[in-house]
Amino acid sequence: MPQTRIAVVGSANMDLVGTAAALPRPWETVLGDDFVMLPGGKGANQAVAAVRAGASCVFLGAIGSDAFGVTLKARITAAGVDTGHLRVVYGASGVALVMVGGAGEHAILVTPGANGAFTGLTEGELAAVREADVLVAQLEVPVETVTAAALAARSAGTRVVLNAAPVRPVPAELLAATDLLVVNETEAQALTGRGGDEPGALLELVPRAVLTLGGAGAWYVERDRPAVHVPAVKVDVVDSTAAGDAFTAALAVAWGEGRELVEAVHWAAAAGAACVRKLGASVALPHRTEIDELFSRPV
């Protein structure tokens, strides 16, 4: 089977991760247990996750000229991602402040840094999108950049998977170029103006969608077909920070390999479950053997 070619347009951040028995409430200080500094960002995470899931991947994004940027590029490249188009802009790289509680819950504050300067795609960057089997994008970089990439993909017959996170307005032009939308309940509610428990409402925006529900699994919906619920794979949760990125990347890889989308969602659920068993973002992203092991486990 030919290796799926994935292009990821998105963010790269340095994740500063602290753990504690319970997350602090507003105005409260708590004593933590541990601290690690890891490469992250939804774009970089999904690029690394795609490679570990078995695809080749080119990452389009921007890092700063600071020490974080040097480390980010080195780590992403070492993971097997093509960073030949990764821009370096003067100033700070993106940073995410991540707090993880004892039950695996988390709170994240992201400062975009160089990600906010990732605008005006070059012809080389657009060519990388057109040459891919699947484009994967999120909303931690300017939405105009994501839209331009999606339109280039659509013109070349490249499938577009949009993970509409974090929550922000999505232009109609981008939705019209999206083949598969991936959102959680909060994002679905923001996009549709309805309850997050109505996955069918997403089909008013796009032809296919996946609504992720964390431990309750996911819904796959497609126009003119019944909705399908995919149960979560039960594992012990350590940190859920990058589970959505592992899910989205695995979904794109499986779809690019020619799997039926319902099966692809099942495989993506196994990827998300494999991810939450470890602390951190990029270091927790699962390899294909880990995904296959959970995918084959009886539900």
Side-chain angles (χ1 to χ4, degrees), residues 11-13 62-64 92-96 109-117 140-142 168:
S11 59
N13 298 321
I63 53 175
S93 298
V95 173
L109 171 66
V110 177
T111 56
N115 296 303
E140 284 187 339
V141 297
R168 62 192 299 186

Side-chain angles (χ1 to χ4, degrees), residues 9 17 45 67 88 116 136 138 144 149 166 170 181 184 242 249 251 261 266:
V9 170
V17 185
N45 285 346
V88 178
V136 178
Q138 328 77 33
E144 297 82 6
V170 180
L181 179 68
N184 63 23
L251 179 62
L261 269 167
H266 277 276

Side-chain angles (χ1 to χ4, degrees), residues 274-293:
C275 183
V276 302
R277 298 185 295 185
K278 301 175 185 177
L279 177 66
S282 57
V283 294
L285 297 168
H287 293 270
R288 191 178 183 97
T289 53
E290 299 173 83
I291 302 171
D292 284 340
E293 185 273 323

Side-chain angles (χ1 to χ4, degrees), residues 244-259:
D245 296 331
F247 181 101
T248 301
L251 179 62
V253 172
W255 196 23
E257 291 176 350
R259 301 195 197 198

Side-chain angles (χ1 to χ4, degrees), residues 57-256:
C57 182
V58 58
F59 177 50
L60 307 176
I63 53 175
S65 57
D66 55 0
F68 283 168
V70 174
T71 302
L72 283 168
K73 183 170 184 177
R75 295 282 188 88
I76 297 168
T77 304
V81 177
D82 180 353
T83 57
H85 293 283
L86 183 59
R87 300 184 192 179
V88 178
V89 300
Y90 181 78
S93 298
V95 173
L97 307 176
V98 184
M99 296 183 293
V100 182
E105 74 280 18
H106 62 267
I108 305 174
L109 171 66
V110 177
T111 56
N115 296 303
F118 183 45
T119 58
L121 292 176
T122 67
E123 185 51 45
E125 291 165 338
L126 292 171
V129 169
R130 297 187 189 104
E131 292 166 3
D133 297 310
V134 183
L135 168 69
V136 178
Q138 328 77 33
L139 299 177
E140 284 187 339
V141 297
V143 70
E144 297 82 6
T145 303
V146 176
T147 302
L151 292 174
R154 174 55 62 90
S155 71
T158 297
R159 293 170 174 170
V160 178
V161 175
L162 175 63
N163 178 203
V167 173
R168 62 192 299 186
V170 180
E173 189 178 25
L174 175 54
L175 290 171
T178 297
D179 296 297
L180 177 61
L181 179 68
V182 182
V183 289
N184 63 23
E185 291 177 279
T186 301
E187 293 148 4
Q189 185 171 4
L191 283 174
T192 65
R194 304 187 196 175
D197 58 353
E198 298 183 46
L202 295 167
L203 298 180
E204 298 175 10
L205 306 174
V206 292
R208 305 168 196 84
V210 176
L211 174 62
T212 61
L213 306 170
W219 282 99
Y220 171 68
V221 291
E222 183 176 342
R223 288 174 184 166
D224 302 320
R225 290 186 57 181
V228 178
H229 179 257
V230 175
V233 180
K234 302 302 181 184
V235 294
D236 293 329
V237 177
V238 174
D239 180 6
S240 62
T241 302
D245 296 331
F247 181 101
T248 301
L251 179 62
V253 172
W255 196 23

